[in-house]
Amino acid sequence: MCVVFGLVTLLLFTSEWDDALAKPKDGLRTWGRFAKLPYPGDKALLYDTFPGDFMWAVGTAAYQVEGAFDRDGKGLSIWDTFTRGGTRMMTGDVGSDSYHNINADVRAIKQLGVSHYRFSLSWPRIFPNGTRGSYNAAGANYYRTLIRKLKEARVEPVVTLYHWDLPDALQQAFGGWGSRRIVELFKDYADFCFLTFGDDVKYWITIDNPFVVAWHGYGTGVVAPGIKNDPDLPFRVGHNLIKAHAAAWHLYHRFYRSRQRGKLSMALASHWIKPSRTRRQNLHECQCSLDHVLGWFARPLFVDGDYPPCMRDRLGPRLPAFTREEREEVRGTADFFALSHGASLSFHLINDSLKFGQKEDLDLRMLLYWVNAEYNRPPILVVQSGWYVLGNTNTEDPKHMYYLKRFIVETLKSISLDRVNVIGYTAWSLMDGFEWHREYGIRTGLYHVDFQTSGMKREPKTSATFYRALIQKNGFPELPENRPAQGFFPCDFAWGVSANSIQVETTPTQFVDPSVYLWNRSSDGELKRLVGFSALPLDRATHCANYATVRQQVNEIRQVGVSHFHFSLNWSALVPSGDVSRPNASLLRYYRCFSQQLLRANVTPVITLWHHTSDTASLPAPLHTSNKWLNREAPDLFEAYARLCYRELGEHVKLWITLNEPNDETVGYQEGHQMLRAHALAWHAYHRHFRHTQGGQVSLALQMDWVEPAFSFRREDVEPAKRVLDFRVGWFAEPIFGKGDYPVGMRNWLRQLNSLDLPVFNEEDRQLVKGTFDFFAISHFSTDLVTHAKEDSYTYIPMLEVQYMIDTTWIMSPRPVVPWGLRKALNWVKEHYSDVPIYVMANGVQEDPARFKDSLRVYYLYNYINEALKASTLDGVNLKGYFAYALSDMRDPGFGLYGQVHDEVIVKASLSNYRNIIEHNGFPVAGLPAQQCPRDPLPCLDCQLLTRRPLLGFLTLLGSGFLITLGLIIYYAAKRRTECY
């Protein structure tokens, strides 16, 4: 229900739009607007599709892919010269050799299923020295052929006139873009291109990313032509770039538009920036940062023909001035907003000096909204978007794929939720090539290019497969499994809450204060302690009511509305010496009282005997100081400890967990083997000696976060995920729930690595361990993505040969929030171990403890429980119970349904939402009657006296009757005496 409400709120919020024309600086409201969107629902993946006429494109740049730098009359570009100077090691002389591979390129474009292909013309290939007089027919024919083949493939060309490869002759003759003469030369070059190719081109880009050309080509010297000796030169270059673009636009508008009916713009790239502090001045610094990069060129074109005031104020006379006539000439010279976003600029070519102390970010959706607000809602064509992988990556590029997914999802949200007029998206790039200042150190292509082969073989990467599938579906259509389920859990479903531990009070706090107090009834009603007076000590036995912490914790649990509460005992505290004949009697009494009071509150206790934590002090001293679990006596000591707990607490406990999350990655295989034996001995002890009288059930709880293949297009993609699950879960599950031995895949993999670390079960141990369960219990919190393609050494596990990664569209806090992972985990258990009863013993999310309106936890619990319902009702999983983790921040910081400020306990929003789900036993269908379940009678602990100790019960009743009769006699005798008087 909260998810539906959140979505409706989001749609209502985003539909409110001022019909007045946008004004400059309207983009300033972007940060505030997005800060108010419902969290975390707004961050979740949006299931929707793009408009039917949406332009799906892919792109390249001439110098990066064409090669043939000196073939068929081509002249040198500034990049041909630049890459041969200084400390640079590689050149783009060959690139991807697209000049000789038109057919292979067009075939790749067709395979993707795009509607548009963006490519650039090489100015020096057409005009070797930059002027019409040096016209090279072979160069022009190459582009004629490419456009013709694209048309035959029903792919529309999006043509860029200039993508950074200026004829070197123009740079040498008069300083390239630093000279005013370049404006007319570019206009003449554009005129030729419009005339020659314009009948087949409907979208033109005059200049790509003028910021990089000006700032880094003529300022920092990072890219060609590598000039860096004049701090004001970048602004003169930018001035000339704008005027050259305007000249080309007017040329097309006057002489070609009416016949060719095309559209023209300049491709403007930008980063995104967020305030480092929540102050208005920081927002203005963010706005100024965008103005210095994007607004530098966008405002003259889309607003008033002049530079942003922020630039004028900070740069003063360093920034060239437009005359009134030039402002009119420049203003309005764009038919759409061509936006470039991604690795070509963000986090690569943005100087810290242009961030003005704020934080860079990769939020394409906010950037689209800002452009829409700042520049009067233009149609926006994303002409470049994507990310990169390392240069040694082959065809598996999940990192690129998930960044691509993220940017496309943000584009979809921009259209569907923010009502921004985005008309197309261009994935960058079609194939690997020369990556400018990064040379061949990174790859950005959807197609892998083998630079070592003569034919530059092209193979589709994972990202290409993903992009093709997405285009076919036109987005992310909602599938039945994506929709929230409606329905009920079984009537006997166990609703619970978990805590790693409880607050223990071994010394009773009630009735132990000997002080004497005076009750000031006539004034403030407070109790005032009388100094020097004390009462005689009470000679009374300790009662459960004496423990204030028991009453407080039980009351908190009862308010959640659960039927079960799961907590762990402290083995080292209960049996400090390891000798169960000398237990900590006061602590044992406390645990007994706690369990009794839970039952009185109609809450069933679920007890873990030992919870694995990084704190090895949780083991008794003899084990802690002597090899811990590797001690040969550890299983027997654990069995003795389990017998003590069964005997002392078993009367009140019907669900036992022997070991909680023993399958931690820090546990060695020998330790794990000992733990399995310890569990089995504890299970058999209960089965033989306690089950027939106590009627409880025993198992262990395994940590089971789901493991998803980063991509599942081929069988080998799935193998890493299966391997990780074998090592994580199968390690403990298969010996107990399966065949009494470790998973075959696990043993084979270690044998392949020549590892002898995994112990071997002898027949006695196999029979001991196999089948020692009454249910399958899991702790589930999140989902991991894995692939075998190594990308990041910090998250790569060499022993398993798996790379851990995340889907960048997932909600993070700090682990990924992936509700469907729980459903897959439950189905994995069902598929491997048939109809075994399953309990989710812990499921929760970490959130800032100061957020009492914990919207993330509300979202998390709703959606994870909904996935559990799908597993139960749709998949036939024998799910018996669900336990939210955790009860309170005090014991489990950041996970609690209760928060705490000093001594005050705070009920968080998630508690009320969880209680509401419990009260409905699921997610009822609106308009249909509620689920009808028989009510269990409230527990009567005193009634147990009659059934378990009949003689004592009879005497108790007889004594009670005698006292009541005696009281009545005295009452009526006193009454008769009063009447006589």
Side-chain angles (χ1 to χ4, degrees):
M1 288 174 285
C2 66
V3 170
V4 176
F5 175 76
L7 182 58
V8 171
T9 303
L10 176 61
L11 290 173
L12 288 174
F13 185 93
T14 54
S15 67
E16 295 174 0
W17 197 271
D18 184 8
D19 291 331
L21 290 178
K23 302 180 293 296
K25 290 193 177 181
D26 274 4
L28 191 61
R29 69 184 184 216
T30 301
W31 294 275
R33 187 258 186 188
F34 277 85
K36 296 176 183 177
L37 292 181
Y39 175 82
D42 179 63
K43 297 296 183 183
L45 179 67
L46 175 65
Y47 292 103
D48 201 353
T49 54
F50 287 85
D53 58 351
F54 193 74
M55 298 165 57
W56 291 107
V58 67
T60 57
Y63 185 76
Q64 292 185 280
V65 300
E66 282 183 5
F69 84 105
D70 60 352
R71 298 293 179 88
D72 298 338
K74 177 186 175 293
L76 292 178
S77 75
I78 55 176
W79 275 93
D80 294 320
T81 303
F82 179 72
T83 54
R84 284 167 170 76
T87 59
R88 284 164 288 280
M89 305 292 293
M90 310 291 285
T91 72
D93 291 357
V94 179
S96 313
D97 201 22
S98 285
Y99 187 78
H100 298 111
N101 283 284
I102 286 183
N103 291 333
D105 288 354
V106 174
R107 184 164 55 250
I109 293 166
K110 287 180 64 178
Q111 287 176 350
L112 286 176
V114 295
S115 58
H116 291 72
Y117 175 53
R118 182 193 170 198
F119 65 94
S120 70
L121 307 176
S122 172
W123 190 347
R125 191 178 295 284
I126 298 173
F127 293 170
N129 71 4
T131 66
R132 194 184 288 251
S134 64
Y135 169 64
N136 176 28
N141 287 335
Y142 165 70
Y143 296 114
R144 285 193 183 96
T145 302
L146 175 58
I147 291 172
R148 175 174 55 80
K149 288 185 176 291
L150 288 172
K151 288 287 193 176
E152 290 172 357
R154 297 184 178 180
V155 176
E156 289 295 324
V158 178
V159 179
T160 302
L161 295 175
Y162 178 74
H163 201 132
W164 306 2
D165 53 347
L166 184 73
D168 191 57
L170 300 182
Q171 182 64 37
Q172 300 303 325
F174 48 80
W177 287 104
S179 170
R180 296 178 182 178
R181 294 176 57 187
I182 197 75
V183 175
E184 285 301 317
L185 289 169
F186 181 76
K187 178 181 177 182
D188 192 44
Y189 162 60
D191 183 49
F192 172 83
C193 295
F194 296 151
L195 179 65
T196 306
F197 311 116
D199 289 342
D200 295 312
V201 179
K202 301 305 177 190
Y203 284 91
W204 290 96
I205 303 295
T206 56
I207 298 166
D208 182 86
N209 204 337
F211 169 83
V212 170
V213 175
W215 190 262
H216 292 294
Y218 293 85
T220 66
V222 172
V223 302
I227 296 172
K228 51 184 176 181
N229 55 6
D230 183 350
D232 295 340
L233 180 58
F235 305 113
R236 296 198 299 273
V237 168
H239 204 67
N240 291 331
L241 287 164
I242 292 171
K243 288 164 57 171
H245 158 78
W249 187 90
H250 284 290
L251 173 73
Y252 187 83
H253 186 67
R254 290 167 187 160
F255 299 105
Y256 296 99
R257 189 188 300 277
S258 61
R259 178 168 58 86
Q260 296 179 355
R261 300 186 180 279
K263 296 180 179 180
L264 185 144
S265 191
M266 176 190 272
L268 305 180
S270 186
H271 62 313
W272 182 247
I273 198 89
K274 289 187 176 181
S276 57
R277 301 180 69 181
T278 55
R279 292 180 177 177
R280 188 159 186 82
Q281 180 59 34
N282 293 87
L283 293 180
H284 284 288
E285 291 299 300
C286 288
Q287 182 84 0
C288 200
S289 174
L290 294 174
D291 277 343
H292 273 73
V293 178
L294 183 58
W296 180 2
F297 301 93
R299 182 169 177 126
L301 272 59
F302 289 91
V303 181
D304 57 6
D306 203 355
Y307 297 114
C310 174
M311 289 188 74
R312 283 249 174 250
D313 293 343
R314 300 196 182 195
L315 295 171
R318 297 178 60 194
L319 197 61
F322 290 107
T323 66
R324 180 180 299 177
E325 292 75 15
E326 286 174 336
R327 287 200 297 270
E328 289 303 313
E329 187 77 7
V330 168
R331 184 171 63 88
T333 56
D335 302 317
F336 57 95
F337 199 109
L339 180 65
S340 176
H341 173 266
S344 64
L345 184 63
S346 297
F347 291 94
H348 283 245
L349 290 174
I350 284 290
N351 299 70
D352 286 341
S353 62
L354 293 178
K355 298 176 187 177
F356 302 128
Q358 310 312 306
K359 299 181 296 185
E360 190 176 358
D361 194 74
L362 274 178
D363 201 315
L364 176 58
R365 179 184 174 189
M366 291 184 73
L367 177 59
L368 288 167
Y369 186 91
W370 187 87
V371 169
N372 184 69
E374 189 77 4
Y375 301 116
N376 198 22
R377 308 176 200 165
I380 303 173
L381 173 60
V382 179
V383 293
Q384 181 172 344
S385 179
W387 206 239
Y388 66 95
V389 292
L390 297 179
N392 59 0
T393 305
N394 293 313
T395 56
E396 293 87 6
D397 63 338
K399 179 180 177 181
H400 185 191
M401 180 184 77
Y402 282 110
Y403 271 101
L404 199 62
K405 178 184 177 184
R406 169 182 173 172
F407 297 145
I408 294 172
V409 167
E410 289 177 356
T411 303
L412 180 59
K413 289 181 178 180
S414 186
I415 296 169
S416 299
L417 303 180
D418 307 332
R419 299 194 176 185
V420 176
N421 184 18
V422 185
I423 62 174
Y425 180 90
T426 306
W428 200 267
S429 62
L430 173 64
M431 71 197 89
D432 296 330
F434 181 81
E435 292 299 332
W436 309 114
H437 64 296
R438 301 292 294 272
E439 299 179 347
Y440 295 99
I442 62 172
R443 292 174 179 262
T444 63
L446 300 178
Y447 279 76
H448 176 268
V449 176
D450 188 346
F451 298 114
Q452 305 305 315
T453 61
S454 57
M456 298 285 178
K457 182 180 179 183
R458 287 127 164 85
E459 288 186 87
K461 298 182 187 177
T462 306
S463 53
T465 306
F466 163 78
Y467 194 46
R468 180 175 65 241
L470 185 140
I471 292 171
Q472 289 173 348
K473 295 182 291 187
N474 199 33
F476 306 90
E478 186 179 49
L479 301 175
E481 58 265 29
N482 304 138
R483 301 185 189 114
Q486 292 182 304
F488 304 102
F489 289 93
C491 285
D492 61 350
F493 194 73
W495 290 104
V497 64
S498 293
N500 283 342
S501 61
I502 58 174
Q503 184 179 354
V504 173
E505 176 191 13
T506 54
T507 302
T509 58
Q510 300 290 305
F511 311 111
V512 295
D513 184 0
S515 300
V516 176
Y517 293 86
L518 178 65
W519 185 10
N520 188 359
R521 295 178 60 185
S522 61
S523 181
D524 54 12
E526 291 186 356
L527 291 174
K528 295 185 178 180
R529 183 170 173 268
L530 296 179
V531 180
F533 292 88
S534 62
L536 296 175
L538 291 175
D539 184 16
R540 63 190 298 274
T542 300
H543 297 285
C544 291
N546 294 7
Y547 296 103
T549 56
V550 169
R551 188 168 61 254
Q552 176 188 341
Q553 290 177 94
V554 170
N555 187 53
E556 290 174 1
I557 295 164
R558 184 183 56 79
Q559 288 187 51
V560 181
V562 294
S563 58
H564 292 66
F565 177 63
H566 174 214
F567 66 99
S568 300
L569 305 180
N570 189 327
W571 183 8
S572 62
L574 262 178
V575 191
S577 66
D579 183 357
V580 296
S581 66
R582 293 184 292 127
N584 183 333
S586 59
L587 180 57
L588 196 57
R589 183 188 308 114
Y590 185 88
Y591 282 137
R592 190 184 301 114
C593 283
F594 191 85
S595 301
Q596 288 177 353
Q597 296 306 309
L598 281 174
L599 285 173
R600 288 183 182 276
N602 206 26
V603 176
T604 301
V606 181
I607 291 183
T608 286
L609 297 176
W610 184 75
H611 187 161
H612 172 77
T613 66
S614 57
D615 179 15
T616 54
S618 60
L619 295 172
L623 292 182
H624 180 67
T625 58
S626 180
N627 291 328
K628 304 177 178 63
W629 277 105
L630 293 177
N631 189 313
R632 295 182 61 182
E633 297 181 4
D636 295 322
L637 289 173
F638 184 77
E639 180 196 8
Y641 161 63
R643 285 173 177 266
L644 170 69
C645 297
Y646 298 152
R647 184 172 61 251
E648 298 294 331
L649 305 175
E651 179 182 354
H652 312 299
V653 180
K654 302 307 174 190
L655 287 176
W656 290 95
I657 302 294
T658 55
L659 307 172
N660 195 70
E661 301 177 12
N663 56 327
D664 187 89
E665 60 183 11
T666 61
V667 173
Y669 297 134
Q670 296 292 340
E671 287 180 289
H673 202 74
Q674 288 283 81
M675 290 180 185
L676 282 167
R677 294 188 69 252
H679 157 77
L681 289 172
W683 187 90
H684 283 294
Y686 190 86
H687 186 67
R688 292 170 184 158
H689 304 290
F690 298 95
R691 189 187 300 275
H692 67 285
T693 57
Q694 296 180 0
Q697 294 183 320
V698 182
S699 194
L700 82 172
L702 300 178
Q703 206 286 330
M704 191 183 180
D705 283 349
W706 180 242
V707 183
E708 181 76 3
F711 36 85
S712 53
F713 307 127
R714 298 169 301 179
R715 180 184 175 187
E716 54 265 35
D717 300 333
V718 180
E719 288 303 317
K722 293 174 63 177
R723 184 160 59 249
V724 173
L725 284 169
D726 269 349
F727 275 79
R728 270 192 191 176
V729 185
W731 172 26
F732 272 76
E734 192 61 24
I736 296 171
F737 299 89
K739 299 179 180 179
D741 198 356
Y742 297 114
V744 174
M746 182 181 184
R747 196 175 287 285
N748 289 344
W749 183 262
L750 291 173
R751 188 178 295 123
Q752 172 186 312
L753 298 177
N754 296 318
S755 171
L756 301 177
D757 292 341
L758 194 64
V760 176
F761 281 99
N762 58 39
E763 188 58 31
E764 180 183 351
D765 281 349
R766 187 191 305 269
Q767 294 304 320
L768 173 70
V769 171
K770 183 181 179 182
T772 54
F773 69 91
D774 296 310
F775 53 87
F776 198 113
I778 66 171
S779 299
H780 176 91
F781 298 94
S782 185
T783 291
D784 291 311
L785 281 179
V786 295
T787 175
H788 62 86
K790 184 177 180 180
E791 174 67 28
D792 182 353
S793 59
Y794 290 103
T795 53
Y796 184 76
I797 310 299
M799 193 272 284
L800 294 178
E801 295 183 9
V802 294
Q803 175 73 62
Y804 283 88
M805 57 182 305
I806 61 167
D807 182 337
T808 52
T809 64
W810 287 348
I811 299 168
M812 301 293 294
S813 181
R815 299 276 321 275
V817 175
V818 191
W820 50 259
L822 175 58
R823 182 180 181 185
K824 290 197 173 189
L826 293 171
N827 273 279
W828 185 93
V829 176
K830 177 178 182 289
E831 291 163 8
H832 282 73
Y833 306 114
S834 190
D835 199 37
V836 60
I838 306 173
Y839 288 88
V840 178
M841 296 306 301
N843 179 237
V845 67
Q846 188 173 8
E847 190 170 7
D848 183 355
R851 291 176 64 101
F852 300 133
K853 190 176 181 181
D854 51 343
S855 55
L856 175 61
R857 187 169 293 105
V858 170
Y859 174 92
Y860 182 99
L861 292 176
Y862 180 97
N863 286 281
Y864 272 82
I865 295 171
N866 199 266
E867 292 296 323
L869 178 65
K870 293 176 186 177
S872 175
T873 58
L874 302 179
D875 307 332
V877 173
N878 187 13
L879 185 61
K880 292 295 187 179
Y882 172 92
F883 290 68
Y885 177 83
L887 178 65
S888 170
D889 283 338
M890 186 175 72
R891 309 301 296 177
D892 302 285
F895 285 90
L897 299 175
Y898 286 99
Q900 191 152 1
V901 177
H902 304 300
D903 294 330
E904 183 182 1
V905 175
I906 308 295
V907 176
K908 296 185 184 179
S910 56
L911 188 151
S912 301
N913 281 267
Y914 183 41
R915 184 171 59 217
N916 183 59
I917 294 173
I918 294 172
E919 288 173 353
H920 291 91
N921 202 34
F923 305 88
V925 181
L928 294 183
Q931 183 185 29
Q932 300 299 317
C933 288
R935 288 187 175 274
D936 293 329
L938 292 175
C940 175
L941 296 187
D942 296 328
C943 298
Q944 295 177 10
L945 288 172
L946 300 177
T947 57
R948 294 175 183 263
R949 300 185 178 90
L951 179 59
L952 179 60
F954 174 74
L955 292 175
T956 301
L957 287 175
L958 189 63
S960 300
F962 173 76
L963 290 173
I964 292 171
T965 304
L966 182 61
L968 291 172
I969 292 172
I970 293 172
Y971 171 77
Y972 283 109
K975 185 177 181 182
R976 186 178 301 111
R977 188 178 304 111
T978 302
E979 290 174 352
C980 292
Y981 284 108

